[in-house]
Amino acid sequence: MSIDAAGLLAWYERERRDLPWRDPAVSAWQILVSEFMLQQTPVVRVLPIWLDWVARWPTPSATAAAGSAEVLRAWGKLGYPRRAMRLHQCAEVIAEHHGDVVPADVETLLTLPGVGSYTARAIACFAYGQWVPVVDTNVRRVVARAVHGLADAASPSPKRDEEEVAALLPNDASTPMFSAALMELGALVCTARAPRCGVCPLSSCAWREAGYPAGTAKPKRVQKYAGTDRQVRGRLLDVLRDSTSPVTRAQLDVVWLSDTAQRDRALDSLLVDGLVEQTRDGRFALCGEGEG
DNA sequence: TAGTCGTGGGG
DNA sequence: TCCCCAAGACT
């Protein structure tokens, strides 16, 4: 079974969200920035950060010229701050080795820090209009349901997933819009929880035709957040983002009093990740403080 | 391959 | 309240 491209595209024209990075005037770099920010992060939280970001640093070289500490501050509480460091590194590589132009081919894109199988293809497709499959969690879910009649996608397998989606793509200039529409359908209608099948534009869906069978996949264990090292890291970084001068160990210690071993482990991991650095006098700061 | 890595909103 | 989830990458 294939996907009803005509129905999908008509629905997309009608219902698509008016997201700023979809404006045709937006540069490949700014699309790349949006893709980094959107990794595992809802659109509504990315919007304000992205708007400020591209106004402040519109090009890779402008981003590279900023210090990584300022980049981490601009990232704010978007989450997964290692993405901000990788975005900064990505800007440096593009500025230094690619003439300040985002590469257009998937192979080269895959060499960039923080660019994996999804992001490389999203840039090639949405920024450069290339015929390449773009497979994110939304696309995998839509295909699992509409094509295979399954409630949930199997565990990701990039090569296999991309081959399968490639076979569904239209062989014309509508490919980028088709991929954007598949993702949009997964985000707005064919959602993970409480899908809105009553308003689905697809003329055929294997899952619907099978009577919406429940999923059989074993429930993937959801990772807790409260009490984890990630929460401790978040609190430590919060202190460092709010201070333009290095802070003492004591100023960091107060954010996590219940488990000192865990607190030490979290701080050490931030140092290892290159998000935090220690000054010669033993205080702590965001990495790259004073640069840029 | 499975675990790690933030954060906050909604059911 | 608690739990699930949101345009993944990396090890």
Side-chain angles (χ1 to χ4, degrees):
Chain A
M1 182 175 296
S2 61
I3 301 277
D4 167 22
L8 177 64
L9 290 171
W11 169 84
Y12 183 66
E13 291 284 359
R14 196 170 63 246
E15 301 291 340
R16 59 183 277 181
R17 293 167 291 180
D18 184 23
L19 303 176
W21 45 83
R22 287 176 175 165
D23 187 314
V26 167
S27 70
W29 168 252
Q30 295 168 347
I31 290 174
L32 182 152
V33 172
S34 78
E35 294 299 346
F36 270 68
M37 292 182 174
L38 287 163
Q39 291 168 3
Q40 298 285 286
T41 306
V43 163
V44 290
R45 290 180 43 214
V46 168
L47 275 169
I49 307 284
W50 184 86
L51 289 169
D52 290 345
W53 192 288
V54 299
R56 184 175 183 184
W57 300 308
T59 63
S61 55
T63 313
S68 54
E70 274 315 294
V71 164
L72 280 170
R73 278 198 188 87
W75 195 262
K77 304 198 75 167
L78 205 47
Y80 293 142
R82 293 190 297 190
R83 291 182 296 168
M85 297 302 283
R86 291 179 187 139
L87 180 55
H88 188 248
Q89 293 163 3
C90 192
E92 292 178 331
V93 171
I94 293 172
E96 291 176 21
H97 301 294
H98 299 285
D100 217 20
V101 177
V102 177
D105 63 290
V106 170
E107 286 307 307
T108 307
L109 285 163
L110 284 170
T111 68
L112 299 173
V115 176
S117 56
Y118 162 75
T119 302
R121 288 169 177 80
I123 294 166
C125 179
F126 300 137
Y128 292 110
Q130 292 189 45
W131 191 95
V132 290
V134 181
V135 184
D136 75 333
T137 185
N138 289 309
V139 171
R140 295 196 317 106
R141 185 174 57 252
V142 171
V143 170
R145 289 175 181 167
V147 178
H148 298 299
L150 301 172
D152 304 295
S155 51
S157 173
K159 183 172 170 57
R160 185 197 62 204
D161 296 343
E162 285 153 13
E163 287 175 354
E164 177 170 21
V165 172
L168 298 170
L169 294 182
N171 286 304
D172 59 33
S174 71
T175 296
M177 190 172 293
F178 180 86
S179 286
L182 268 187
M183 291 170 59
E184 192 79 337
L185 187 70
L188 300 182
V189 175
C190 194
T191 52
R193 209 170 18 176
R196 304 166 57 210
C197 297
V199 299
C200 182
L202 298 185
S203 60
S204 65
C205 170
W207 192 43
R208 172 184 36 182
E209 287 144 24
Y212 304 115
T216 57
K218 61 173 180 289
K220 57 171 184 267
R221 49 171 22 70
V222 291
Q223 201 182 11
K224 293 272 192 284
Y225 179 63
T228 63
D229 288 10
R230 281 192 297 165
Q231 185 181 26
V232 186
R233 285 165 56 106
R235 288 198 185 177
L236 293 171
L237 276 182
D238 217 14
V239 171
L240 293 165
R241 270 195 305 265
D242 286 343
S243 173
T244 53
S245 59
V247 305
T248 64
R249 181 60 183 257
Q251 287 175 278
L252 292 176
D253 284 352
V254 297
V255 306
W256 199 260
L257 300 170
S258 60
D259 185 336
T260 58
Q262 183 181 36
R263 183 185 65 208
D264 295 350
R265 183 171 68 242
L267 178 55
D268 186 60
S269 74
L270 290 172
L271 291 162
V272 169
D273 283 353
L275 291 166
V276 175
E277 63 189 3
Q278 197 162 14
T279 59
R280 271 186 288 279
D281 63 7
R283 291 183 295 167
F284 297 87
L286 293 179
C287 212
E289 195 76 83
E291 296 172 8

